[in-house]
Amino acid sequence: MEKDKVVLYGASGHCKVIVDILGSNQIDVAFIVDDDPKCKTILGNLVVRSENCFTFRNVIVSIGNNSIRKKIVKKLNSNFTIAIHSKAVVSQYVSVGEGTVIMAGAIVNPAVQIGKHCIVNTAATLDHDCVLGDFVHVSPNASLAGGVHVGEGTHVGIGAIVIQGVVIGKWAIIGAGAVILRDVPDYAVVVGNPGRVLRYVEEE
Ligand SMILES: CC(=O)SCCNC(=O)CCNC(=O)[C@H](O)C(C)(C)COP(=O)(O)OP(=O)(O)OC[C@H]1O[C@@H](n2cnc3c(N)ncnc32)[C@H](O)[C@@H]1OP(=O)(O)O
């Protein structure tokens, strides 16, 4: 049976990876929506302008920035789908919210809850009982040990490590390669080993 085509919103690098995820599952892209007039195709898929699109079905917002992704989601009157690479290992005991994408090589262990419009990037690992809020991005090769909670909109940087049971607040940024041993407040930018607060960001 032919699988439903997916509409991608945002012609970004992140979009290219989602095209590839869909391809790994023999799912076609219907078209990509982006208002950059220079952008005509992405990996052979047609890019159309948003004014030509009134109703969307089966959408993924393919924008890597968590805050921008949230703004686009809020303005769309669409139903959203998910994309999980055929070479990701995702336990059957996991919940995945609409709009979320899981890249190749990611491992998601049992009893993990992933919110809406999240990104679990290439080779990221989420161990048992982790909880991700909506619009979270766990970057490539980042590892969350068991029972880590990550608040809405937080970006866990590439290669970061979070030990078991840590609670990370909302709209925080965990720097590349950081080692997080203690809870992280909302809006904190944390870097280093052990992680220390570098600064705070404005609310989303
Ligand atoms: C498929 C994909 O591409 S997914 C995307 C993956 N990308 C990432 O994971 C990027 C994560 N981002 C980072 O690590 C960034 O460096 C941030 C957000 C933590 C900090 O960025 P900025 O606020 O611009 O910090 P800035 O570059 O000005 O550095 C400030 C200080 O923090 C230090 N610093 C910045 N990032 C880090 C880090 N990851 N680890 C250790 N120290 C760091 C800098 O060396 C600098 O120190 P100094 O004041 O002693 O010179």
Side-chain angles (χ1 to χ4, degrees):
M1 196 178 73
E2 197 182 334
K3 297 173 183 169
D4 282 348
K5 293 182 179 181
V6 173
V7 174
L8 298 179
Y9 200 108
S12 59
H14 178 53
C15 168
K16 293 175 187 167
V17 183
I18 300 176
V19 169
D20 198 55
I21 293 175
L22 296 171
S24 81
N25 293 295
Q26 293 80 48
I27 298 172
D28 290 331
V29 175
F31 51 84
I32 296 163
V33 183
D34 197 289
D35 287 332
D36 177 356
K38 292 195 288 298
C39 192
K40 307 256 189 283
T41 61
I42 292 274
L43 302 178
N45 297 287
L46 187 66
V47 177
V48 302
R49 308 300 157 227
S50 59
E51 74 264 20
N52 299 324
C53 311
F54 304 105
T55 318
F56 297 113
R57 270 188 67 242
N58 239 17
V59 178
I60 294 174
V61 179
S62 46
I63 294 171
N65 180 288
N66 295 343
S67 174
I68 297 172
R69 192 165 65 258
K70 181 174 179 181
K71 288 192 178 86
I72 301 283
V73 165
K74 296 296 166 204
K75 81 169 193 183
L76 289 178
N77 182 22
S78 305
N79 81 313
F80 298 97
T81 188
I82 64 174
I84 300 176
H85 196 285
S86 62
K87 297 236 162 76
V89 177
V90 180
S91 162
Q92 62 181 306
Y93 306 106
V94 163
S95 63
V96 180
E98 64 181 26
T100 284
V101 295
I102 303 181
M103 276 43 170
I107 299 179
V108 185
N109 270 344
V112 169
Q113 298 170 48
I114 303 176
K116 297 176 185 174
H117 308 285
C118 292
I119 303 168
V120 180
N121 222 315
T122 312
T125 64
L126 309 180
D127 224 298
H128 62 87
D129 300 296
C130 283
V131 179
L132 306 188
D134 299 340
F135 304 102
V136 164
H137 176 187
V138 182
S139 292
N141 272 312
S143 293
L144 309 189
V148 169
H149 286 223
V150 183
E152 181 187 299
T154 285
H155 178 202
V156 179
I158 189 163
I161 292 170
V162 186
I163 69 164
Q164 69 278 5
V166 163
V167 176
I168 300 174
K170 61 184 177 182
W171 299 98
I173 301 174
I174 307 301
V179 177
I180 305 301
L181 308 176
R182 299 211 176 119
D183 292 355
V184 171
D186 296 346
Y187 309 111
V189 180
V190 177
V191 298
N193 176 9
R196 64 181 170 83
V197 176
L198 180 66
R199 60 185 172 86
Y200 287 87
V201 291
E202 300 288 315
E203 296 192 16
E204 65 174 285

